[in-house]
Amino acid sequence: MTAKKDKLKILFLEPETGSRYNYIPMGLAYLSSYIKKHCAIPVETIIVRHSENEIDQILAYNSDIIGITAMTHNYNTANIIAERIKSIVPNQNIILGGQHITSAPDSLFPSFNCAIAGEGEAAFLQYVNAFIDSEEIDYSQINNLVYWKDGNIQINARLPFIDPIDSISYPDREAVNGFENIIKSNNFGRFNRNDIRWIQLTTSRGCPYKCKFCQPSVLWGKYRMHSAEYVADEIEYVVNKYNINAIQVEDDLFTGNKTRLIKIIELLEQKNLLGKIVFNVAARAEQINEEWVELFQKIGIVKVELGIESGSDKVAEYLKNSKKTTQNINLKAIVLLNKNDIAVFGSFIAGAPIEEYKDLIQSKKFMLKIKKMHKNNECSIGLATPLPGTELWDYTIQKGLINKEDFDWNRLSTLAGIPKDLSIPVYLNENIPIEKTVKVIKSINRRMWMGSPLDFLKAVPRRIKKIPAKIRKMLK
């Protein structure tokens, strides 16, 4: 057969479920760069974030293929978008990818032509090549594909993970709609300062740890790291091309290998970049010692994100499947970081199956303590959410808390925020009424945002400065 097209137009979309967060959908940016590099014909791409009420804007791009990524908390929104597109353009090719369908391939909605489970780059290239070469795609020949056939969902064999991941090109950040507005957006909370142009960077895929609540390890499989040379070169690239002075490292764990970090620092020093960039990274508290902190200071890390999960050792051990997550270990790490003027962001979870009210109050006390330890320390707490593929999901199934055959995925939207109707969430805890847990969560997060009365008064001028920008966004 002859090729249908001599060029291709692809729209990558992340469903918009709330306020327009300023960030780059990095998974889509990697897909864009990969397909542009390896496709046999020229490809034009754009990466957007739209809601189910913006179908006209989506269709205005007149794309040959629409690729939608979805996490569990916005999977229903992705489906609504696909349904509305199909109601207007029935023949539109819509392909799904992302963490949700990777973890729950048997949940594919018929509104999508098909989906890619797992690492997407090579499989999506197979799909695009088949789309170019044939009027009718043979889905059975495409790896990682999930699709409907004769009323049943088919799940194809997966490709091996890309190895080494240095073979992947830098993400196509410039394909993101509004890219310049993103990199100059205010991110004081990440970098403890306002005078920044920031960007996201991914230096690894996966995580060597297996927490009960974590979905990314299902998506990425084994832990793979870019080489120090790759990381240093990409940092140099974004600094020179976009005038960047702040970097959010998106890895689930940046501190996977100390030797690699030492080498990255050496290379950045050779490139005359040390001291010119500040970083925000994620680490494990049990790793933190004097040597790590010295490396953090050398490279310019100003905030470290720690998954503390609970103020109770019992609950933290349960959630993280680790005995190396005690509050003494967490506190020691925070003290060491703060002493060297590195702030901490601590994430916590409420409502784990074994949690008691006294455990939840321990979390509250520990979070308030962390907040007081450094002017730029922050914490947040959310409701335990049983995402597909995780141990908490297995627990939910075993307990009969949901019906998999007829499940409303909005019930897991607690990952993005707690709904007003508390009958919606899948609540895992039998010891504390959900109303009581949510009340504590809200009171903690309110205190985290406002701080002490004195903290709140000090922050008023900075918050007032943000008001005009927020008003402009509302009027758009």
Side-chain angles (χ1 to χ4, degrees):
M1 289 187 181
T2 57
K4 290 193 299 181
K5 295 181 178 293
D6 56 8
K7 62 181 179 179
L8 200 62
K9 192 173 184 180
I10 301 175
L11 171 76
F12 291 111
L13 183 145
E14 181 180 42
E16 180 63 67
T17 54
S19 60
R20 295 197 183 282
Y21 300 110
N22 287 320
Y23 70 89
I24 298 165
M26 291 290 279
L28 297 180
Y30 276 110
L31 282 178
S32 179
S33 67
Y34 193 90
I35 213 70
K36 285 180 178 179
K37 178 179 179 180
H38 295 283
C39 190
I41 63 173
V43 180
E44 177 187 342
T45 65
I46 186 169
I47 301 171
V48 300
R49 303 187 76 237
H50 284 310
S51 74
E52 66 268 31
N53 299 316
E54 297 174 302
I55 303 304
D56 288 346
Q57 291 95 314
I58 295 170
L59 293 176
Y61 293 105
N62 194 29
S63 306
D64 300 298
I65 298 170
I66 296 176
I68 301 179
T69 186
M71 298 178 73
T72 298
H73 71 270
N74 61 10
Y75 183 45
N76 271 16
T77 302
N79 177 51
I80 292 169
I81 290 172
E83 286 180 336
R84 291 183 179 175
I85 292 171
K86 290 283 192 179
S87 70
I88 301 170
V89 186
N91 295 325
Q92 177 67 61
N93 287 275
I94 307 176
I95 183 167
L96 175 72
Q99 286 188 18
H100 175 81
I101 202 64
T102 296
S103 304
D106 56 350
S107 70
L108 181 67
F109 287 119
S111 55
F112 300 100
N113 293 61
C114 58
I116 290 176
E119 192 167 54
E121 286 92 349
F124 185 62
L125 179 64
Q126 287 186 4
Y127 174 85
V128 169
N129 286 337
F131 177 85
I132 293 168
D133 292 337
S134 176
E135 292 292 337
E136 232 177 275
I137 301 174
D138 183 356
Y139 288 159
S140 68
Q141 299 302 305
I142 301 174
N143 291 99
N144 295 48
L145 217 65
V146 181
Y147 59 99
W148 286 90
K149 181 180 180 182
D150 301 327
N152 296 306
I153 291 177
Q154 309 295 315
I155 304 173
N156 291 351
R158 293 193 188 179
L159 291 165
F161 288 109
I162 296 171
D163 192 18
I165 58 172
D166 279 7
S167 63
I168 303 171
S169 301
Y170 301 154
D172 185 11
R173 299 173 176 91
E174 291 180 42
V176 179
N177 189 40
F179 171 66
E180 176 62 23
N181 289 332
I182 292 172
I183 64 177
K184 67 182 182 183
S185 61
N186 183 287
N187 270 277
F188 183 89
R190 282 193 177 106
F191 304 106
N192 311 331
R193 62 201 67 192
N194 290 311
D195 55 334
I196 60 166
R197 285 175 60 85
W198 77 289
I199 212 163
Q200 295 151 251
L201 192 77
T202 302
T203 81
S204 66
R205 292 185 174 185
C207 180
Y209 299 97
K210 304 296 178 185
C211 298
K212 276 187 170 66
F213 54 86
C214 188
Q215 205 175 39
S217 59
V218 179
L219 172 63
W220 295 121
K222 67 177 184 177
Y223 182 54
R224 291 164 292 157
M225 294 184 291
H226 282 296
S227 68
E229 290 77 9
Y230 184 101
V231 175
D233 286 348
E234 187 175 3
I235 291 172
E236 181 181 38
Y237 172 80
V238 297
V239 169
N240 290 340
K241 188 169 181 64
Y242 308 119
N243 192 27
I244 296 302
N245 60 3
I247 291 176
Q248 167 76 40
V249 179
E250 284 214 322
D251 303 13
D252 294 299
L253 183 76
F254 176 64
T255 51
N257 186 292
K258 190 180 293 182
T259 302
R260 184 185 76 143
L261 181 53
I262 292 170
K263 183 64 175 177
I264 291 171
I265 291 169
E266 291 175 355
L267 293 169
L268 292 180
E269 186 171 24
Q270 292 172 18
K271 297 173 184 294
N272 195 31
L273 289 174
L274 284 186
K276 296 182 179 180
I277 316 156
V278 293
F279 293 84
N280 179 306
V281 305
R284 295 272 293 201
E286 63 262 35
Q287 294 178 308
I288 305 301
N289 56 28
E290 294 281 359
E291 189 177 359
W292 272 110
V293 171
E294 184 180 346
L295 294 174
F296 288 173
Q297 288 182 305
K298 283 183 178 179
I299 197 171
I301 291 171
V302 294
K303 183 166 276 187
V304 174
E305 299 184 9
L306 300 175
I308 297 172
E309 316 315 344
S310 176
S312 160
D313 289 352
K314 174 189 73 176
V315 176
E317 179 183 331
Y318 171 84
L319 287 170
K320 300 190 80 170
N321 286 323
S322 172
K323 294 183 181 294
K324 296 180 178 180
T325 189
T326 68
Q327 299 324 299
N328 283 338
I329 290 173
N330 287 320
L331 192 58
K332 183 180 177 182
I334 296 166
V335 167
L336 185 56
L337 289 164
N338 288 171
K339 186 177 73 173
N340 291 278
D341 203 26
I342 298 172
V344 165
F345 177 89
S347 61
F348 288 73
I349 293 173
I354 67 168
E355 187 172 59
E356 299 176 73
Y357 188 67
K358 63 181 181 182
D359 300 314
L360 182 55
I361 296 305
Q362 280 182 275
S363 289
K364 180 176 182 177
K365 289 178 178 177
F366 195 39
M367 292 174 72
L368 293 175
K369 183 174 184 175
I370 293 170
K371 178 74 172 175
K372 293 176 182 177
M373 290 170 65
H374 189 280
K375 63 180 180 179
N376 292 319
N377 280 357
E378 294 181 303
C379 296
S380 72
I381 186 167
L383 197 64
T385 303
L387 299 174
T390 67
E391 287 187 46
L392 287 187
W393 176 258
D394 295 339
Y395 173 89
T396 305
I397 301 300
Q398 291 164 8
K399 288 288 185 177
L401 297 177
I402 66 168
N403 178 4
K404 283 181 65 177
E405 305 305 317
D406 185 26
F407 184 64
D408 178 3
W409 295 105
N410 280 336
R411 297 191 64 198
L412 302 183
S413 62
T414 44
L415 195 67
I418 299 172
K420 291 182 179 179
D421 183 353
L422 296 184
S423 67
I424 293 175
V426 178
Y427 186 59
L428 306 178
N429 188 282
E430 297 179 358
N431 303 313
I432 319 168
I434 186 172
E435 294 82 5
K436 197 171 184 179
T437 297
V438 169
K439 184 177 180 181
V440 174
I441 290 173
K442 289 183 176 179
S443 71
I444 294 172
N445 285 336
R446 192 182 307 117
R447 182 65 182 273
M448 289 296 114
W449 182 77
M450 294 177 63
S452 67
L454 182 59
D455 293 333
F456 180 78
L457 289 174
K458 288 180 179 178
V460 167
R462 174 166 55 85
R463 288 173 177 151
I464 288 174
K465 287 181 180 179
K466 293 182 181 180
I467 292 174
K470 289 183 177 180
I471 292 174
R472 286 195 297 271
K473 286 182 181 179
M474 292 170 60
L475 294 175
K476 282 184 178 180

